[in-house]
């Protein structure tokens, strides 16, 4: 049996799956937690990865490994390969003003044409601009800029500061892939090239950037072994690979954040900035929207009602569609789509009769899913024609999520079995890098609720959300 490994270095934890390269069967796995917060020392990721690899039985018998990671995070390195400051993560919104400055200087239309993106606080370019303006001494020290998966792959291959790595600080050995490069704000999915002018406008000077590898191009080997290191990928591209998503598949991921995306054969451009025109990990493209508020919407309302998630779902299913007119617009921690970093949530449409525990629970599920359905509509507007929607993430297994999704979305809903799909996608890429052939591993399905579209739910949500526009 030939083994491959996939890594998902996410916001909250790192997961490692060791799989049979032929079938995708998980042979063993490991996991370790990451620190909380939106500004994190990358060394914590490295320590967690080593713990998770050890828990997964190590890589000694593994032929290839790939690392999937949270997108956009700013890992700034000095000339000695040391991290200049804690990495700012995708969900750190302090660079919202920097995003506005870049748009003012270049124009939204020009930035979309050059990078497929309109800057928001999530992207790497805006975090670099914030660093330039808020911490100029740190910015001046930056010799290279990497993303979380780039930096972890580099460390796996033996690179890093001279006092803590066998191969030392060879910044030119940094690599990335199309999917993660496309989330920086200074790389073009259309041309496949970095835009150095935009990098300099963000950071204040030029710097080493990771070499962008093709979908099955090896970055090197794990230091001291023959285990190939694949190009890696951003987390959403990893989920798409892990699900086996092809053209015509819409994907909704419900985690700490929410995403709606799909695979398309051509790059997407959206001058409004609603849709990010990312590349995927297979050589195609991955137009995507992201919301800051997804599963934690359910966390918040469950806490208010004093119930666990199972009881919240039961309450929601006791209410009628539309929640008696109660509508939750769930911008609890600001929002990325739409771009409202300072927004807060609103609960409207309440009457004496409609203010029940059941309707509040139902409004939480409807609000979360309507926000994601709005996002999927935006992706449709730039070229996705979905024939089905795959819903993944821990909340996807909720009976209420599945029932409400079948009423909110107007195409068939498919809920795969629970799984670590980013890590599985990284393992798919590792097998692809090893053999030169994309694996076709089977996808286990947990549920396919019958389409029961209730347009009145979306209409009520649209009316409530319009107050922000």
């Amino acid at each position: 049996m030939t083994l491959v490994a996939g890594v998902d270095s996410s916001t909250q934890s790192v997961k490692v799956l060791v799989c049979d390269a032929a079938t995708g069967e998980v042979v063993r796995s490991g996991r370790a937690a990451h620190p909380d917060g939106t500004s994190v020392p990358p060394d914590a990721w490295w320590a967690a990865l080593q713990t998770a690899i050890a828990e997964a039985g190590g890589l000694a018998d593994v032929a290839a490994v790939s690392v999937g990671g949270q997108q956009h995070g700013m890992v700034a390195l000095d000339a000695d390969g040391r991290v200049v400051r804690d990495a700012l993560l995708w969900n750190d919104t302090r660079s919202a003003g920097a995003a506005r400055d870049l748009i003012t200087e270049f124009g939204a239309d020009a930035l979309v044409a050059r990078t497929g993106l309109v800057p928001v606080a999530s992207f790497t370019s805006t975090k670099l601009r914030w660093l330039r303006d808020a911490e100029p001494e740190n910015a001046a020290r930056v010799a290279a800029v990497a993303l979380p998966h780039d930096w972890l792959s580099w460390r796996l291959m033996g690179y890093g500061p001279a006092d803590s790595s066998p191969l030392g600080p060879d910044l030119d050995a940094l690599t990335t892939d199309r999917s993660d490069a496309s989330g920086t704000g200074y790389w073009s999915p259309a041309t496949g090239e970095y835009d150095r002018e935009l990098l300099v406008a963000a950071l204040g000077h030029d710097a080493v950037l990771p070499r962008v590898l093709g979908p099955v191009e090896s970055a090197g080997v794990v230091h001291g072994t023959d285990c190939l290191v694949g190009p890696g990928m951003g987390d959403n591209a990893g989920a798409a690979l892990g699900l086996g998503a092809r053209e015509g598949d819409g994907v909704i991921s419900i985690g700490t954040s929410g995403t709606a995306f799909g695979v398309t054969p051509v790059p997407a451009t959206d001058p409004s900035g609603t849709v990010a025109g990312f590349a995927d990990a297979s050589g195609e493209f991955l137009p995507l929207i992201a919301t800051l508020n997804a599963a934690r919407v359910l966390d918040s309302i469950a806490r208010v009602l004093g119930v666990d998630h199972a009881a919240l779902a039961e309450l929601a299913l006791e209410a009628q569609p539309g929640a008696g007119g109660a509508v939750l617009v769930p911008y609890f921690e600001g929002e990325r789509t739409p771009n409202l970093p300072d927004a807060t949530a609103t609960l409207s449409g309440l009457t004496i009769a409609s203010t029940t525990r059941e309707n509040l629970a139902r409004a939480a599920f409807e609000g979360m899913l309507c926000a994601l359905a709005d996002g999927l509509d935006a992706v449709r507007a730039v070229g996705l024609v979905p024939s089905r929607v795959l819903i993944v993430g821990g909340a996807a297994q909720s009976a209420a999520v599945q029932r409400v999704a079948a009423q909110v979305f107007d195409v068939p809903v498919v809920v795969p079995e629970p799984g670590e799909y980013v890590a599985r996608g990284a393992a798919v890429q590792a097998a692809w890098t090893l053999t030169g052939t994309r694996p076709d591993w089977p996808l286990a399905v947990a549920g396919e609720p019958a389409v029961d579209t209730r347009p009145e739910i979306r209409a009520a949500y649209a009316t409530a959300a319009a107050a922000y526009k």
Side-chain angles (χ1 to χ4, degrees), residues 199-431:
L199 173 67
V200 172
L203 179 60
H205 61 86
D206 205 355
V208 174
L209 296 174
R211 181 167 59 93
V212 181
L213 302 176
V216 295
E217 186 178 354
S218 174
V221 297
V222 175
H223 181 70
T225 76
D226 294 325
C227 178
L228 292 176
V229 177
M233 69 208 76
D235 50 3
N236 293 298
L241 268 188
L243 291 165
R246 310 277 182 161
E247 186 177 349
D249 286 332
V251 180
I252 301 291
S253 177
I254 308 174
T256 304
S257 63
T259 55
F261 57 90
V263 177
T264 61
V266 296
T269 57
D270 179 9
S272 76
T274 301
V275 178
F278 295 146
D280 81 342
S282 74
E284 295 191 288
F285 301 91
L286 200 77
L288 175 147
I289 67 93
T291 65
L292 291 179
N293 301 279
R296 57 180 164 179
V297 174
L298 306 181
D299 296 340
S300 297
I301 301 303
R303 186 169 59 249
V304 168
L305 296 177
V307 297
D308 61 17
H309 281 271
L312 184 72
E314 290 176 4
L315 285 169
L317 291 175
E318 291 174 12
Q320 292 298 309
V327 180
L328 177 66
V329 179
Y331 303 158
F332 285 94
E333 297 290 341
E335 191 45 83
R336 171 172 163 179
T337 304
N339 184 26
L340 298 166
D342 300 318
T344 55
T346 62
L347 181 62
S348 61
L350 296 177
T351 65
I352 294 295
S354 69
T355 305
T356 66
R357 289 162 57 83
E358 292 80 5
N359 283 335
L360 290 176
R362 177 87 190 196
F365 286 93
E366 290 183 352
M368 178 187 72
L369 287 164
C370 281
L372 288 165
D374 282 356
L376 187 66
D377 284 349
V379 178
R380 280 171 149 164
V382 297
L384 177 68
V385 183
S387 57
R388 63 175 182 168
V389 173
L390 300 161
I391 301 183
V392 296
Q397 302 306 312
S398 161
V401 166
Q402 295 182 23
R403 177 82 61 81
V404 174
Q407 295 170 341
V408 166
F409 295 102
D410 58 359
V411 293
V413 169
V414 176
V415 181
E417 290 283 356
E420 298 292 351
Y421 285 102
V422 177
R424 175 181 160 105
V428 167
Q429 187 188 69

Side-chain angles (χ1 to χ4, degrees), residues 14 55 115 131 189 198 213 224 312 315 323 343 358 379 393 456 466:
V14 60
E55 186 176 297
T115 68
L131 185 70
L198 294 179
L213 302 176
L312 184 72
L315 285 169
E358 292 80 5
V379 178
E456 65 272 16

Side-chain angles (χ1 to χ4, degrees), residues 42-98:
D43 282 344
W45 301 334
W46 178 235
L49 177 58
Q50 293 179 88
T51 298
I53 287 173
E55 186 176 297
L59 300 178
D61 58 347
V62 172
V65 61
S66 281
V67 180
Q70 53 182 301
Q71 287 189 268
H72 314 310
M74 180 191 74
V75 183
L77 304 174
D78 67 15
D80 296 322
R82 299 185 187 281
V83 175
V84 170
R85 68 160 341 270
D86 286 356
L88 299 185
L89 306 189
W90 64 272
N91 55 352
D92 191 299
T93 60
R94 73 186 73 181
S95 63

